[in-house]
Structures are given as structure tokens and as C-alpha cells.
Amino acid sequence: MEKRSSKRWRSRLRSAKLFDASQRFLVECRIMDLSPSGARLKPESDRPLPLELRYHDEDKIFAPAALIWIRKREIGIRFLDEAAAEGEATDPKPLDAELRNASPSAESRTMSDATRT
């Protein structure tokens, strides 16, 4: 079994609000899991969300956060420190960013041509 170093709290019908970088309201969310490093949320709508967010609940006031994943109508966010939110620190690029933006290689095109015949 995997051991986690940070504490996590299951919430009971707690809600949070997400805002964009300009602090404009985006969506209200139900808090499914909450830890000091991030949260699993269930947004009330399917509205597209930016990668950079501001998270607000009773305990955190406009905490900077990053959208990490989206799965089955739930999202995962990571809380950022203020330096990262202001652009002083660089966030690592997702590992598959080059794969999503690159054109197919000659090798993959050849492989797909071979499967058609």
C-alpha cells in the first residue's frame, strides 16, 4: 500500500469557488478531498477552466492553484506558492506537451500505412 506524506481530509458537503487570475468567478465546486498541497473538486458545471486558477473556501482566500487533471466530472488542483503564481518561479511543462503538439514522425506514419494494407 502506498504511504502518503501529507495529511488529507475528506470533506462533508463543503464547497469552494474557483476564480480566474483576474479574480473573476468561474464555478462553484464541491470539495471531495482536500490536502495542504491540493484538492479534488467536483465543479457544478462543465464550464472550461483555465490552467491557472484562484481557489477560495472558508480557510483559504484566493489561493493560487493550477489545474492538474480532469476525470469523470472531477478536477484535481495543486496549490501554488505566491512566487509561482506571480511568475517568479517556472512551472514544469507537462511531460506529454511535446507529444500533443508535434506532428506524427515518419516512423509512425510508416507504421500506420503498413496497417492499412
Side-chain angles (χ1 to χ4, degrees), residues 14-20 23-31 41-44 49 53-58 60-63 65 75 77 79:
R14 285 187 56 197
S15 66
K17 294 178 182 174
L18 295 179
F19 296 80
D20 65 12
Q23 296 187 1
R24 287 185 299 233
F25 176 76
L26 296 172
V27 67
E28 186 147 355
C29 302
R30 181 173 173 200
I31 302 171
L41 307 171
K42 187 170 189 172
E44 289 185 356
L49 297 171
L53 300 164
R54 296 284 182 168
Y55 170 91
H56 175 71
D57 70 7
E58 298 102 33
K60 293 182 183 261
I61 306 231
F62 293 109
I75 63 172
I77 63 169
F79 299 125

Side-chain angles (χ1 to χ4, degrees), residues 8 11 17 19 31 37-38 44 57 70 72 78 80 85 88 94-95 97 102 107-108 116:
R8 294 171 41 181
S11 68
K17 294 178 182 174
F19 296 80
I31 302 171
S37 61
E44 289 185 356
D57 70 7
I70 302 171
K72 296 182 182 177
R78 178 183 304 140
L80 305 173
E88 295 173 16
L95 295 177
E107 183 178 305
S108 65
R116 289 185 202 153

